[in-house]
Every structure is written in structure tokens, then in C-alpha cells.
Amino acid sequence: MAIDYYNDRVCLNVLGGSLENARDIYEAAEHHVEVGVLTADYPDVPTCVGDMGRYMEALDGNLSVGLGGGDPKQCYMVAEVARSVKANHFNQAFCQVSATRANVGSDECHINAMCAPSGVPGLVKVSTGPVSKGSKAPALVPADTAIDIVREMGGDSIKFFPMGGLRCEDELRALAEACARKDFVLEPTGGITLDNFDEVMHVVLDAGVRRVIPHVYGSIIDKETGLTRTDDVRTLLAKVKALV
């Protein structure tokens, strides 16, 4: 089952705090959502695979296999999970995209490549893996070139993380323009809230990006229950409908 973009433009990505919460999110978003479950929340691959199988069934495959706060150490676990769980969406560090694609064994699952802001509009940091993230000299690559490399590795999109909301707006705009030129999916991630969602999306959509998967995480999670608030998901969907 392919990702269900609203009006063929936008699909939400939010975290499921439990199986029931995931079901409620899926309905609240009218299926225009990939519901995230984090490998970091599991002690090992078999436990993760077993639980994610239940999410796959509840979500008609619209599961987003996540790292956990962009933790690069989880990249190997995500790649291993891909051997058994054929989720619609995988989050992955730049360095492990090819391994994940090989383990999935098809072109049908969507795999993103995590790239970080560089501090320079038009350049993205691709050294986001467990070793390279700590390198003294980060690998900064022109956005157009990064997209080409991700395509070569079998990836489908660039996940731009951590954005800090609109703190790197100029960089987001430059990356969005590159994605528009290359007809590539963009996944803005980090610090997106109900208050800044419209502005973030305008930056991306106004640049001409054809398909966008915005990740909205902590800002819509109830701090007491750990569950994503379904009313906030409905609000986000209403915003998407007004935008596109």
C-alpha cells in the first residue's frame, strides 16, 4: 500500500504512543498519515518485529519505523527490522539507506535519508551516522548532490532534522528548492508545532515541492500519558486541507 498523500501533496507523520493510540491517529488523520513507532523503545530486534507486526495490521501497513529522536545508533536496528517488517515508511541515517533498501527487498517501501542543517543555505550535513556524526569535519554536501546520492542508494526522500522549527528557515527554503528541482520528497522534522506548522509548510510548498511528509512529534504528545493527542492530529489535517 502506497503512502496516502492528501491531494497527492502532504502526508502527516506523528508518533503512536500505543496500539490503540495509533489506531485513533489513523482515523483522525483520515488515513493521510504514517504513524511512527521507534526501534529505540525495544530491547532487541525480535521484540520490535513482533510488536511492529501488530501495528502493521492495525494501520494497513502505514507504519513509520523510527530511530528515536534521530539517534544514529539505531540505524542498524532499523535496517534489521526491514528484513521482516515491510512498513510503508522507514526513517534512516544517511549511511544506512542502501542496507535498508536491500533488506526490504523491493522498491515499494519508502525510505528517507536523514540529513542535518549545515549552517549554510544550499548545503546539508550528510554525516549523520553513529560514527560520522561525531566527526570533527562534518560532510557538507550541496543539496542537489545529496538528493542524487540518496536516489542512488535507493532512498525516496530527505528527512531534514533537527530543524528547530523555523530556526534554519533559509536552509529549509534552499533544500526545498532543490527538492522541487529534483522532484524529490522532503520531510521537515524537528520543532514543528501547531503554531508554526503553516509557516513551515508554506516555505516548503511555496518552493514547489511536490510531496511533503512533515513530522510533528513532541509538541502534540500529552506529557502525562505519552500519547499523541488525536484532536491535534485533526487540527493538523484541517491545516493541510487549507494549504493544499
Side-chain angles (χ1 to χ4, degrees):
M1 181 177 180
I3 290 176
D4 188 356
Y5 293 91
Y6 177 77
N7 202 21
D8 204 33
R9 295 293 304 277
V10 180
C11 180
L12 297 170
N13 192 301
V14 304
L15 290 177
S18 69
L19 189 59
E20 183 178 0
N21 188 218
R23 288 194 186 99
D24 291 343
I25 289 166
Y26 192 46
E27 294 307 314
E30 298 175 12
H31 300 185
H32 304 298
V33 66
E34 296 296 314
V35 181
V37 178
L38 309 177
T39 59
D41 290 339
Y42 297 91
D44 51 52
V45 171
T47 304
C48 182
V49 167
D51 202 38
M52 285 190 175
R54 290 185 278 275
Y55 281 89
M56 286 284 288
E57 184 176 355
L59 299 168
D60 299 325
N62 289 292
L63 169 69
S64 176
V65 179
L67 297 160
D71 182 358
K73 295 190 297 295
Q74 293 299 125
C75 68
Y76 305 116
M77 191 166 176
V78 168
E80 283 302 306
V81 167
R83 294 183 187 275
S84 302
V85 178
K86 310 307 177 183
N88 262 6
H89 187 271
F90 288 85
N91 297 270
Q92 191 52 283
F94 191 89
C95 62
Q96 285 291 306
V97 170
S98 291
T100 307
R101 177 60 69 197
N103 287 350
V104 163
S106 76
D107 295 329
E108 295 177 3
C109 302
H110 183 108
I111 303 170
N112 68 35
M114 184 168 63
C115 297
S118 67
V120 181
L123 298 180
V124 293
K125 178 181 175 183
V126 300
S127 47
T128 59
V131 178
S132 62
K133 185 178 181 179
S135 298
K136 290 183 179 179
L140 308 184
V141 176
D144 292 78
T145 305
I147 291 168
D148 289 342
I149 296 172
V150 173
R151 272 204 168 107
E152 289 174 338
M153 295 190 297
D156 301 289
S157 63
I158 282 185
K159 177 179 179 178
F160 196 45
F161 173 85
M163 289 189 344
L166 287 160
R167 284 208 299 267
C168 56
E169 182 178 347
D170 290 342
E171 291 186 64
L172 175 63
R173 181 174 292 104
L175 176 56
E177 290 169 352
C179 287
R181 285 192 295 272
K182 296 284 188 176
D183 192 22
F184 209 57
V185 180
L186 179 56
E187 305 192 31
T189 314
I192 302 178
T193 67
L194 292 178
D195 291 332
N196 66 22
F197 181 84
D198 287 354
E199 193 169 354
V200 168
M201 292 299 292
H202 270 299
V203 170
V204 176
L205 294 171
D206 290 352
V209 179
R210 189 166 68 90
R211 284 180 169 171
V212 188
I213 305 176
H215 294 231
V216 188
Y217 286 171
S219 65
I220 62 170
I221 293 176
D222 186 288
K223 299 303 183 287
E224 292 185 4
T225 65
L227 305 178
T228 291
R229 294 185 290 267
T230 51
D231 283 347
D232 287 353
V233 174
R234 293 186 185 92
T235 298
L236 286 171
L237 181 61
K239 288 175 175 290
V240 167
K241 290 180 176 181
L243 286 164
V244 299

